[in-house]
Amino acid sequence: MGTAAKVDGLMDGLKADLERLAAIPSVAFPGYPAGPVQDAHDLLVDLLREAGVERIERIDLPGTAPVIHAEIPPPDPAAPTVLLYSHYDVQPPGDENLWLSPPFEPTPVEGGLRARGIADDKSNVIAHLGMLRAFEGRPPVGIKIVFEGQEEYGSPFDAYPPTDPARFACDAMVIADLGNLRPGTPTLTTALRGAAEVTVEVRTLDEPRHSGEFGGAAPDALVVLLKALATLHDVHGDVAVAGLRREEWTGTTYTEEEFRELAGVRDGVPLVGSGSLGERLWSGPAITVVGLDAPGVDHAASAVVPYARAKLNLRFHPRQDPREAQDRLVGHLRSLRPFGVPLTVTPGDTGPGYEARTGGPAYRAALAALGEAWGTEPSYVATGGSIPLVNGLAEAAPGAEVLLFGAQDSMCNLHAPNERVLFDELRNTVVAMCAFVERYAADFRAGAAG
């Protein structure tokens, strides 16, 4: 029986297990019960055992949910080892009034299922299990499994792999925490933008003063802040901070119509910036004002504002050093004196980007496997989101090729109401994973023999 036919025969069971897993509200954020997270962990341990995995451990670190670590030894000394990563925790559901069905009651939609976390990232956990089942627990490569339980909130596990490199040693890793650019378009993600936070604040008066009596001479802190924030972008909407890296994007990207729909851009409102969407979203910087402390409109007094503060989120080129990128933004803001008023600028957290090596045997095998599974030429993209653990895993296994693909698609509403996954995407991801380990094992042996 061919691989695709074998996977087709497994799909009913995989769908049922996906429903079981998605029904568990495994939110690992503060204020949510720890029980469901443990329930999801225990279910996955059982499913791994049923798939033929015998060596299963848990990694317990302070302040984080348990990490599942499992291994299947290579079938012979000449076979490579592949690490499979996914996470079993999910985002909080948000405003449940915006959901068409309860977020933790998996509900059929056309071609798939709707539930919180069903795409991000429980579909990819099930895809890994599907590959193991297709080979009856004995794939042609050695396997290391890492299923994390607190990825969405963040945890000390991000920095753990380099402290225990033997546990994560491998020849290639499949990071399944993302997916295709659009349904039906097989996609490898080759880069992740980095992220940094900066807070800027202004204090001009001891307390509010009557805008009629003092406005016009007394410095308004909110106006000063807005004047500073307006310098971060040029007239086109491109980032105007010197020294932030930007390059042309040569891979696949969204059409403007797709992006407008995905972002929910209202009719008549233009997109900002210049250049291709890939350049604006992935290989260039972005600065977003994610928070603003200022008087609310509904209860505003007629007074000069004495204090204002903004929190900025910077996304930067995958190869730019995080501290350098943050320093560029901090330096830009500190150099300003809007109306002669100094700003207080405080750097916050940073996270590095990542750019995968391409052209190696695992990369070639993955491209061929994706094309085989979907029956069309695969594409490559980057993403503006971040997966902090990738850098830790890459540092622990510096020689390993890192492959980023999975069963999600960019239209699945991850982190938003009415998240869904499509069964065709799940099925094809399992087929692709099977084809990948077969091709990679054969090419690895051939390379070793050569």
Side-chain angles (χ1 to χ4, degrees), residues 201-289:
E201 54 188 317
V202 182
R203 184 172 291 281
T204 56
L205 307 174
D206 291 333
E207 56 188 12
R209 283 291 185 264
H210 191 290
S211 59
E213 294 186 12
F214 295 94
D220 184 317
L222 183 54
V223 171
V224 171
L225 179 61
L226 294 176
K227 184 80 170 176
L229 297 179
T231 70
L232 299 177
H233 299 84
D234 64 17
V235 294
H236 305 293
D238 291 315
V239 170
V241 176
L244 293 176
R245 187 168 181 171
R246 176 169 174 161
E247 295 177 355
E248 181 182 1
W249 175 253
T250 58
T252 305
T253 188
Y254 302 108
T255 66
E256 181 168 331
E257 293 72 23
E258 283 177 327
F259 183 77
R260 292 182 69 88
E261 182 177 354
L262 285 171
V265 180
R266 297 195 167 210
D267 291 343
V269 178
L271 303 185
V272 297
S274 61
S276 73
L277 279 171
E279 191 173 327
R280 282 179 270 175
L281 296 170
W282 302 327
S283 61
I287 299 174
T288 305
V289 180

Side-chain angles (χ1 to χ4, degrees), residues 36-340:
V37 178
Q38 185 66 52
D39 291 343
H41 168 278
D42 295 346
L43 173 59
L44 286 175
V45 169
D46 290 343
L47 292 176
L48 285 169
R49 286 200 180 102
E50 291 170 8
V53 183
E54 297 175 359
R55 295 173 59 180
I56 305 174
E57 302 173 326
R58 60 184 279 162
I59 301 172
D60 287 299
L61 300 176
T64 190
V67 177
I68 298 171
H69 183 273
E71 292 189 35
I72 299 174
D76 59 73
T81 294
V82 176
L83 185 149
L84 308 176
Y85 169 82
S86 297
H87 63 88
Y88 62 87
D89 64 305
V90 302
Q91 279 282 320
D95 184 354
E96 297 193 22
N97 292 321
L98 299 177
W99 285 77
L100 299 175
S101 56
F104 293 106
E105 292 182 14
T107 302
V109 298
E110 184 176 358
L113 280 175
R114 177 173 59 234
R116 167 55 85 228
I118 201 158
D120 180 19
D121 192 35
K122 291 177 177 178
S123 61
N124 285 321
V125 173
I126 295 298
H128 287 321
L129 284 164
M131 183 274 286
L132 298 177
R133 289 179 186 177
F135 289 104
E136 299 179 354
R138 296 294 177 264
V141 298
I143 292 290
K144 292 188 176 181
I145 294 166
V146 177
F147 288 165
E148 187 180 1
Q150 198 170 301
E151 189 274 345
E152 297 292 3
Y153 181 72
S155 80
F157 185 61
D158 292 344
Y160 177 76
T163 70
D164 191 6
R167 189 189 292 267
F168 303 98
C170 60
D171 300 291
M173 56 184 79
V174 177
I175 308 296
D177 190 12
L178 26 65
N180 291 339
L181 182 68
R182 61 182 67 88
T185 301
T187 307
L188 265 179
T189 298
T190 58
L192 309 168
R193 276 200 298 199
E197 292 182 345
V198 172
T199 300
V200 54
E201 54 188 317
V202 182
R203 184 172 291 281
T204 56
L205 307 174
D206 291 333
E207 56 188 12
R209 283 291 185 264
H210 191 290
S211 59
E213 294 186 12
F214 295 94
D220 184 317
L222 183 54
V223 171
V224 171
L225 179 61
L226 294 176
K227 184 80 170 176
L229 297 179
T231 70
L232 299 177
H233 299 84
D234 64 17
V235 294
H236 305 293
D238 291 315
V239 170
V241 176
L244 293 176
R245 187 168 181 171
R246 176 169 174 161
E247 295 177 355
E248 181 182 1
W249 175 253
T250 58
T252 305
T253 188
Y254 302 108
T255 66
E256 181 168 331
E257 293 72 23
E258 283 177 327
F259 183 77
R260 292 182 69 88
E261 182 177 354
L262 285 171
V265 180
R266 297 195 167 210
D267 291 343
V269 178
L271 303 185
V272 297
S274 61
S276 73
L277 279 171
E279 191 173 327
R280 282 179 270 175
L281 296 170
W282 302 327
S283 61
I287 299 174
T288 305
V289 180
V290 296
L292 186 68
D293 289 339
V297 171
D298 289 343
H299 303 287
S302 296
V304 180
V305 175
Y307 174 79
R309 181 173 67 155
K311 185 174 183 179
L312 310 179
N313 180 263
L314 167 66
R315 301 285 171 155
F316 50 87
H317 190 284
R319 288 200 302 273
Q320 187 157 25
D321 178 77
R323 188 62 60 190
E324 179 198 11
Q326 186 182 59
D327 287 348
R328 293 288 187 172
L329 176 56
V330 169
H332 174 95
L333 290 166
R334 286 178 175 167
S335 72
L336 301 176
R337 292 292 185 275
F339 310 116

Side-chain angles (χ1 to χ4, degrees), residues 45 242 355 390:
V45 169
E355 187 167 56
V390 170

Side-chain angles (χ1 to χ4, degrees), residues 353-371:
Y354 183 79
E355 187 167 56
R357 297 193 308 273
T358 59
Y363 178 81
R364 293 194 299 271
L367 280 180
L370 289 166

